[in-house]
Amino acid sequence: MTEIVTDAVVLRAMDFRDNDKIIFLLSPTEGKISAVLKGVKKAAAKLKYAGEPFCFAEFTLARRGGMATVAGCAQKESFFGLRQDVEAYYCGSAVMEIASVFSAEGQGDPELFGDVIRALERLSEGGDKKITLITYILAVLENFGQKPVFGRCAECGAINPAFFDFSAGGALCAAHAGPYASSLDAAADKVIAAADEYSDRPGAYRCGDVPAKKALALLADVFSRNFKKIKSLEQLLLL
């Protein structure tokens, strides 16, 4: 049996047997980890908080064979406010879904982990939740060398691009749009470009709810077409 002690955040949890849960964690050093949380559904369970989404803690995991078991947990932050606001909850859930897409078991990524914690902190602080989510998505895509160009043509730099093609680098002008390019909503392009520009000062940029939703709809489409459908993001757009 081996023991792992690591900081981690709960990506999601699912019921397992009568009183247990399986939690899916993101660790900066271990990557994605699945672990059994035993007896957590009992009324007097001491580690109930460890089975809650967004829980950020130092986990002690005992591994024998494939599945790990939670042997201890010292909570650092619950981000409880995310569960009291519907918009914040869906934004936080989208943060976790996207992190799950870009993480793998046994492959730590401190940069991705840092992006997740910063996004959850900002969502908890109140600010513009949609802009916070947009900024997070752009940061993750950039870290993995997948961030599209917005605000100008990816080929020639012309402003006010009218088309978009992820495989061609992002936004495109009419002269460089190929047969697979789709039309680009000008408001969505403007919001994403501005959010990217103010990424180091996320509270400095604000916009209306409608253009922010258009921007998130575009990013949701990018993920659906090129990575995986982000269900929480699509649910957010229905609010």
Side-chain angles (χ1 to χ4, degrees):
M1 182 179 73
T2 58
E3 184 176 272
I4 301 169
V5 179
T6 180
D7 285 349
V9 63
V10 178
L11 295 171
R12 65 185 181 92
M14 60 181 287
D15 290 338
F16 181 61
R17 298 174 180 156
D18 290 339
N19 295 304
D20 304 341
K21 282 187 176 183
I22 294 177
I23 57 174
F24 299 86
L25 305 171
L26 178 68
S27 159
T29 56
E30 307 296 325
K32 200 156 43 177
I33 308 170
S34 55
V36 177
L37 192 55
K38 292 188 174 180
V40 72
K41 290 191 284 184
K42 293 180 180 178
K46 294 181 179 179
L47 295 181
K48 279 187 178 292
Y49 61 85
E52 294 294 328
F54 315 125
C55 173
F56 173 33
E58 181 184 80
F59 286 86
T60 300
L61 307 172
R63 188 187 294 277
R64 180 183 285 114
M67 183 71 74
T69 300
V70 178
C73 178
Q75 185 169 257
K76 297 186 174 187
E77 178 59 66
S78 69
F79 300 111
F80 182 72
L82 299 185
R83 294 190 289 277
Q84 294 182 308
D85 179 284
V86 174
E87 183 180 35
Y89 177 80
Y90 281 123
C91 284
S93 297
V95 166
M96 298 313 211
E97 277 195 72
I98 291 167
S100 187
V101 169
F102 284 94
S103 58
E105 291 187 14
Q107 297 182 22
D109 189 334
E111 197 163 15
L112 174 62
F113 185 80
D115 287 336
V116 169
I117 298 301
R118 278 189 295 274
L120 296 181
E121 287 174 342
R122 289 169 178 173
L123 289 169
S124 298
E125 288 167 359
D128 190 314
K129 299 175 183 66
K130 292 185 178 68
I131 296 301
T132 295
L133 180 55
I134 291 169
T135 303
Y136 163 79
I137 291 172
L138 295 176
V140 172
L141 290 173
E142 182 171 26
N143 291 343
F144 285 86
Q146 300 285 342
K147 188 175 79 170
V149 173
F150 291 97
R152 57 184 174 81
C153 176
E155 292 290 337
C156 67
I159 60 172
N160 300 321
F163 298 91
F164 184 87
D165 186 343
F166 183 84
S167 62
L172 298 167
C173 66
H176 290 100
Y180 300 107
S182 57
S183 59
L184 176 63
D185 185 283
D189 180 57
K190 182 178 179 180
V191 169
I192 296 173
D196 191 25
E197 181 181 350
Y198 284 86
S199 59
D200 58 338
R201 294 173 290 149
Y205 176 68
R206 295 180 180 276
C207 70
D209 189 63
V210 172
K213 273 192 169 182
K214 288 183 177 181
L216 283 173
L218 172 57
L219 293 172
D221 186 58
V222 168
F223 268 87
S224 180
R225 290 171 181 266
N226 300 284
F227 304 106
K228 181 181 179 181
K229 181 182 290 188
I230 306 300
K231 295 179 181 179
S232 299
L233 183 48
E234 296 192 346
Q235 290 170 322
L236 173 66
L237 295 171
L238 296 176
L239 296 180

